[in-house]
Amino acid sequence: MAYRWGMAVDLDKCTGCEACVTACHAENNIPTVGSQQAARGRAMHWIRVERYYEGNFPDVRVKFRPVLCQQCDNAPCEAVCPTYAAHQNEDGLNAQVYNRCIGTRYCANACSYNVRFFNFFNPEWVKPLNLQLNPDVSIREVGVMEKCTFCVQRIKAAKITAKAEDRGLVDGVLQPACAQACPTTALIFGDLNDPNSRVARLSHSPRGSKLLEDLGAEPKITYLDKQPWHEPDTY
Ligand code: SF4
């Protein structure tokens, strides 16, 4: 395996702005389903920002946690897919082949992170949203399951360019849309197979932990814990 893509999420840096969510929607042609469908649990977000509150008013602190597909090495979604639509690709990505998916939704039930989304109807883009569709990303049809791909279209394009220029990929240059859009650089993407990459080093950080690690899915996203709050120095 030449590459093994992973991510680190620095919870100390995330401000909950949701720029990552918006960028992901735009990059990956993710439809907005409207308030009525959202109320029925059909909203689609390949990345979401969870909020946790500590303390009582007026001394309340909020913690934000961006959650996306954890690109598990031992992915339960892959084991239950009867058509191998969910599978591990050559870069260790938990890939989804849309035209193999027959919509059993077993994968969504097997996933512990609630990051797989089912198309209950054909997506529609109200004008002028149709003008921003990304031609590099397939539009998913009714009956198909979808989820974060780590912007595989960007990964493929970067690999093709690097091969044509007879060079390797430079750490930190290739980024999924969420990481590129994050104003605080809370999302760090890279190759876990490269011991010198930032993401590989952060994966060993003492602040690091995996989401629901005890379940044994072996996620490739490391969350860096928020640091204890200190009152600012007074002068
Ligand atoms: S863009 Fe960055 S700071 Fe904003 S919610 Fe996403 S991860 Fe957090």
Side-chain angles (χ1 to χ4, degrees):
M1 195 185 294
Y3 298 102
R4 188 166 165 268
W5 302 111
M7 185 177 274
V9 180
D10 191 338
L11 300 179
D12 213 23
K13 287 186 173 177
C14 178
T15 63
C17 70
E18 304 217 15
C20 52
V21 178
T22 305
C24 177
H25 269 257
E27 170 74 17
N28 292 299
N29 300 334
I30 301 172
T32 47
V33 299
S35 55
Q36 287 186 345
Q37 295 297 336
R40 301 178 70 183
R42 295 176 175 178
M44 303 175 93
H45 302 292
W46 288 8
I47 180 171
R48 65 178 181 270
V49 181
E50 297 184 347
R51 291 166 176 74
Y52 299 94
Y53 300 91
E54 284 180 356
N56 296 308
F57 181 82
D59 190 18
V60 180
R61 302 208 188 287
V62 188
K63 287 183 178 176
F64 302 102
R65 180 185 291 270
V67 179
L68 58 163
C69 172
Q70 305 289 300
Q71 303 291 346
C72 306
D73 278 340
N74 186 26
C77 57
E78 294 169 10
V80 297
C81 180
T83 62
Y84 301 106
H87 69 283
Q88 197 93 176
N89 82 358
E90 71 277 8
D91 288 350
L93 288 177
N94 172 244
Q96 179 80 4
V97 182
Y98 300 129
N99 55 8
R100 270 194 215 151
C101 178
I102 57 172
T104 64
R105 290 184 267 166
Y106 296 162
C107 56
N109 290 329
C111 174
S112 308
Y113 302 104
N114 194 21
V115 290
R116 289 183 156 268
F117 300 93
F118 185 67
N119 282 276
F120 284 89
F121 32 76
N122 277 322
E124 288 178 15
W125 280 270
V126 183
K127 288 181 182 176
L129 293 180
N130 59 324
L131 298 177
Q132 72 159 32
L133 288 174
N134 183 351
D136 293 334
V137 178
S138 317
I139 291 173
R140 288 75 60 186
E141 296 188 333
V142 61
V144 170
M145 189 63 70
E146 61 179 69
K147 59 153 206 97
C148 165
T149 66
F150 267 173
C151 290
V152 67
Q153 66 280 3
R154 293 186 177 205
I155 295 173
K156 292 203 167 186
K159 285 167 71 176
I160 289 169
T161 303
K163 188 175 179 189
E165 295 174 356
D166 197 22
R167 59 169 175 80
L169 294 176
V170 180
D171 182 44
V173 175
L174 167 61
Q175 296 195 77
C178 56
Q180 184 185 24
C182 178
T184 64
T185 64
L187 307 173
I188 302 105
F189 176 79
D191 179 15
L192 292 166
N193 273 353
D194 173 3
N196 297 316
S197 72
R198 199 162 160 236
V199 73
R201 285 183 278 120
L202 288 172
S203 71
H204 302 299
S205 166
R207 287 173 57 209
S209 64
K210 302 288 171 69
L211 204 53
L212 302 177
E213 190 167 14
D214 291 351
L215 297 179
E218 299 174 23
K220 284 199 275 295
I221 296 185
T222 303
Y223 286 88
L224 305 175
D225 280 349
K226 207 166 171 59
Q227 298 297 286
W229 170 260
H230 296 290
E231 290 294 339
D233 292 337
T234 47
Y235 295 97

